Amino acid sequence: MEIGAYSFGDTQRNPNGSLRSTTEAIRNLHEAIVLADRNGLDYFGIGKHHTLDMPASSPGTVVAAAAAATKRIKLGSGASIISTDDPVRVFQQFAIADAVSGGGRVEITAGRGSSVETFPLFGYDLKDYDRLYAEKLDLLMTINNSKTESVTWSGTVRPALHDLAVVPRPVKGRLPLWLATGGSAPSSVRAGELGLPISYGIIGGAPSRFAPLADLYRASAAKAGHTAEDIKVSVATLGLIAPTKKEALERFYPGWYNLNIEMGKLRGWPAPDKRQFLAQAEFPGAYYVGDPDEIAQRIVDLHGHMGHMRHFLQMDIGSLPHDHFLESLTLLATEVKPRVERLLKKP
């Protein structure tokens, strides 16, 4: 089981509640990735939002910088919103990061985009939501699976490529390419039929309810004739680890409250309710907030339902104090990860 984290960047706040600089948020994110590598986490994903409070708008750039500053940790997007991006540029950015890393540590996770802010920002129409994703995912797979630098592709959402060079190539020829979903059946079938690993982002409800989707994914892959090597499931959830459960709840709640206020302005979310937060922060809820023993046990419990091979947490939300983020990352690497390994070895 790989254990890791993901982040969209988290802008800190002044004592009066105003947001500090987004530049500081990116520097904090880079520091966190380097710490995660040094402490032995397996994976760090960079999400993509375009908001003042979550400013990591270019995962490929963050991953490339981190690739130069780390030695072992796998780095990826969580996710690259290819519907409103150019798959050629996404591939090139991550292939360059792969070269910088030495090869084999950089992945792309392709998402359709739950954050619709990218559509007006880059001049796309939401009515083309699925067509954009389907065609651009096909282009990204075509580039990644190409045996040479020369690529030929045609579609309706961008100009065709006729034997054009897309460089550089990844060190090992291809990049690991995942499909991200918030948990839809069609996306699970799509990933299975394409033979892509799938990454489920779980932000509410009991995570175990995703188990039938993972089964559907594996059945779709088997029906399409794909081998087990590329058929993998990962799970991303919200969470925070502290020395005690009480501290974890007290540290995570203010950021969760701020996040819900800000996202409510963009997406019409209801006002945050602390009772809802506390319910989600207890087993079997969606938030992995607790001490190392509890978080390890919950990850292993979900593994029993979904058989996932990677579990990674988003911790820094709503201006979580940076030192709390770094402590949580350290506890995840040094306390949770070894507990998970021990529990999974038990008969």
Side-chain angles (χ1 to χ4, degrees):
M1 169 75 78
E2 295 181 359
I3 301 295
Y6 75 108
S7 171
F8 294 88
D10 184 30
T11 307
Q12 299 293 288
R13 291 176 184 263
N14 294 308
N16 65 3
S18 62
L19 289 171
R20 300 215 299 251
S21 76
T22 50
T23 304
E24 178 190 27
I26 298 303
R27 286 199 301 265
N28 285 346
L29 176 56
H30 182 76
E31 180 187 16
I33 299 170
V34 172
L35 177 76
D37 177 62
R38 190 163 63 236
N39 284 336
L41 281 182
D42 300 301
Y43 175 78
F44 208 113
I46 310 302
K48 182 179 180 181
H49 275 316
H50 297 266
T51 60
L52 292 173
D53 54 332
M54 290 186 282
S57 57
S58 177
T61 307
V62 177
V63 166
T70 56
K71 302 294 185 186
R72 194 192 62 85
I73 195 168
K74 293 180 181 177
L75 303 164
S77 50
S80 296
I81 310 306
I82 59 169
S83 304
T84 54
D85 210 333
D86 185 344
V88 175
R89 292 300 289 158
V90 170
F91 180 84
Q92 290 173 325
Q93 291 162 358
F94 282 80
I96 288 172
D98 182 62
V100 171
S101 77
R105 289 200 291 126
V106 171
E107 307 176 351
I108 299 174
T109 300
R112 188 163 47 179
S114 62
S115 301
V116 295
E117 305 92 73
T118 60
F119 282 76
L121 185 62
F122 295 110
Y124 289 96
D125 194 325
L126 270 172
K127 68 179 175 53
D128 298 323
Y129 186 69
D130 194 65
R131 183 168 64 96
L132 283 164
Y133 183 62
E135 288 199 18
K136 291 190 174 186
L137 179 61
D138 180 64
L139 172 55
L140 185 59
M141 291 182 66
T142 299
I143 298 170
N144 196 40
N145 292 333
S146 178
K147 302 296 184 187
T148 71
E149 291 83 357
S150 298
V151 176
T152 296
W153 178 90
S154 64
T156 65
V157 299
R158 83 176 301 283
L161 302 175
H162 298 291
D163 197 27
L164 292 177
V166 178
V167 292
R169 293 299 303 174
V171 174
K172 297 185 178 179
R174 300 170 65 227
L175 295 172
L177 176 58
W178 293 69
L179 186 148
T181 175
S184 81
S187 292
S188 299
V189 171
R190 182 177 353 224
E193 290 179 343
L194 293 173
L196 295 176
I198 193 166
S199 183
Y200 290 105
I202 303 175
I203 60 173
S208 60
R209 67 189 169 87
F210 280 65
L213 291 172
D215 292 341
L216 176 63
Y217 160 69
R218 293 188 175 98
S220 300
K223 186 177 180 181
H226 296 293
T227 60
E229 181 181 355
D230 291 327
I231 304 307
K232 304 174 186 174
V233 174
S234 72
V235 170
T237 59
L238 297 176
L240 189 78
I241 303 106
T244 67
K245 172 83 174 187
K246 181 174 183 293
E247 289 171 295
L249 290 170
E250 291 174 349
R251 292 177 182 184
F252 197 63
Y253 176 71
W256 178 86
Y257 180 89
N258 290 336
L259 173 70
N260 278 266
I261 290 292
E262 295 301 323
M263 296 305 288
K265 295 175 185 174
L266 292 173
R267 303 184 189 178
W269 288 7
D273 182 336
K274 191 167 186 177
R275 293 169 301 180
Q276 179 191 12
F277 167 78
L278 292 173
Q280 291 287 341
E282 297 292 343
F283 179 81
Y287 305 157
Y288 287 63
V289 180
D291 59 50
D293 281 326
E294 176 184 351
I295 301 306
Q297 290 166 4
R298 292 196 56 192
I299 290 173
V300 171
D301 176 80
L302 186 61
H303 177 76
H305 293 281
M306 296 189 66
H308 59 310
M309 50 71 65
R310 175 185 292 166
H311 195 118
F312 53 115
L313 299 175
Q314 183 186 9
M315 309 170 190
D316 55 336
I317 60 172
S319 307
L320 176 78
H322 189 53
D323 59 335
H324 289 170
F325 181 32
L326 298 183
E327 183 178 10
S328 183
L329 281 171
T330 300
L331 289 170
L332 183 65
T334 62
E335 300 293 336
V336 174
K337 181 182 170 184
R339 283 169 167 79
V340 169
E341 292 171 347
R342 285 197 297 272
L343 290 169
L344 288 176
K345 287 179 180 176
K346 286 186 175 180

